[in-house]
Amino acid sequence: MLFTTKTEYGLKALTILAQNKSNKPVSLADISRQADISLSYLEQIFAKLKRAKLIKSIKGAEGGYALAQPAKAITLLKIIEALEGDLAIFYCMADGGCSARGCLTKKVWADVQSSVVKILNKYKLSNLI
């Protein structure tokens, strides 16, 4: 299983928001500089995070971005699924994946998938800061 840079950069950016003690919105340009992420790529990532209601944008001269929920309420699974789509660690576990009858390995892959989901649900954004 290989996550894309969307997940890596999304986690970096979200930790910057989570560490913001001032409770003021943080501009995308500031996040881009702090995380060393291209502004245009960060815009794409933040569009996905906003659609998932993990962040919110605040308009105006003092505007920017903030977490839409407390860091302790945002699981790593929510973040990954917002950025990568539904988690399927094996092709046969994805929607529309393998439909072979009598598959001897599907139960094993289902157990592995369940364990990964459980772990990613256990860890919160607050655990990273």
Side-chain angles (χ1 to χ4, degrees), residues 46-57 59 65:
F46 268 47
K48 289 179 178 239
L49 294 171
K50 191 173 175 190
R51 270 194 302 277
K53 297 182 170 103
L54 297 177
I55 61 170
K56 59 185 175 184
S57 61
K59 305 223 183 280
Y65 287 88

Side-chain angles (χ1 to χ4, degrees), residues 9-81:
Y9 293 169
L11 286 169
K12 270 178 143 177
L14 286 172
T15 57
I16 289 169
L17 290 179
Q19 290 173 325
N20 179 21
K21 302 295 183 209
S22 73
N23 292 325
K24 291 182 182 177
V26 183
S27 76
L28 209 53
D30 285 344
I31 297 167
S32 172
R33 275 191 300 278
Q34 288 180 52
D36 195 27
I37 301 169
S38 148
L39 185 58
S40 61
Y41 194 35
L42 196 56
E43 287 170 342
Q44 295 172 32
I45 291 168
F46 268 47
K48 289 179 178 239
L49 294 171
K50 191 173 175 190
R51 270 194 302 277
K53 297 182 170 103
L54 297 177
I55 61 170
K56 59 185 175 184
S57 61
I58 294 90
K59 305 223 183 280
E62 298 292 317
Y65 287 88
L67 296 178
Q69 307 169 36
K72 64 183 177 193
I74 300 174
T75 67
L76 294 187
L77 182 65
K78 284 182 190 176
I79 296 167
I80 292 167
E81 288 188 333

Side-chain angles (χ1 to χ4, degrees), residues 1 92 99 128-129:
M1 167 176 49
C92 63
S99 60
L128 301 180
I129 57 173

